[in-house]
């Protein structure tokens, strides 16, 4: 099952939580294939196309929200773009 993990803010708490989930989730549920753009997006690729494709192919999404990024437009753009089910993780 593909899981898109959404975060905002390089080196932020949101990003750290996303990275921790990326490493932990497959250890708990082996069928999970997590996607975090900072780790899974190849340098030099057209990020918008790749992220859009990932959103189209994903089964489930997790949004890592903190006080610092709660108003970020990226926090609303990704879930609004996808037909997947989403969970919000507040840190």
């Amino acid at each position: 099952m593909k899981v898109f993990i959404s975060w905002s803010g390089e080196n932020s708490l949101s990003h750290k939580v996303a990275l921790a989930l990326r490493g932990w989730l497959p250890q708990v549920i082996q069928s999970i294939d997590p996607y975090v753009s900072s780790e899974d997006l190849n340098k030099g690729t057209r990020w918008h196309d790749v992220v859009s494709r990932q959103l189209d192919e994903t089964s489930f999404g997790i949004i890592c929200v903190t006080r610092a990024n709660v108003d970020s437009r990226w926090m609303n753009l990704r879930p609004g773009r996808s037909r997947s089910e989403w969970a919000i993780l507040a840190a």
Side-chain angles (χ1 to χ4, degrees):
M1 170 178 30
K2 289 191 174 193
V3 176
F4 190 101
I5 304 173
S6 183
W7 58 278
S8 175
E10 200 71 40
N11 297 321
S12 66
L13 177 58
S14 174
H15 188 223
K16 290 174 185 173
V17 170
L19 294 176
L21 285 170
R22 181 181 181 269
W24 178 73
L25 284 171
Q27 294 179 13
V28 178
I29 304 171
Q30 289 76 27
S31 63
I32 286 184
D33 180 18
Y35 180 86
V36 174
S37 59
S38 64
E39 304 301 305
D40 300 310
L41 184 64
N42 294 326
K43 295 189 185 329
T45 59
R46 300 181 74 156
W47 68 268
H48 187 270
D49 295 340
V50 174
V51 169
S52 292
R53 186 172 63 254
Q54 288 295 324
L55 286 169
D56 288 342
E57 296 173 358
T58 194
S59 307
F60 192 81
I62 300 172
I63 306 170
C64 300
V65 179
T66 65
R67 290 181 188 187
N69 71 1
V70 70
D71 293 324
S72 168
R73 68 185 183 110
W74 297 112
M75 292 289 100
N76 295 314
L77 176 67
R78 290 177 181 161
R81 166 76 179 79
S82 175
R83 294 181 303 271
S84 305
E85 294 194 34
W86 287 82
I88 298 174
L89 177 64

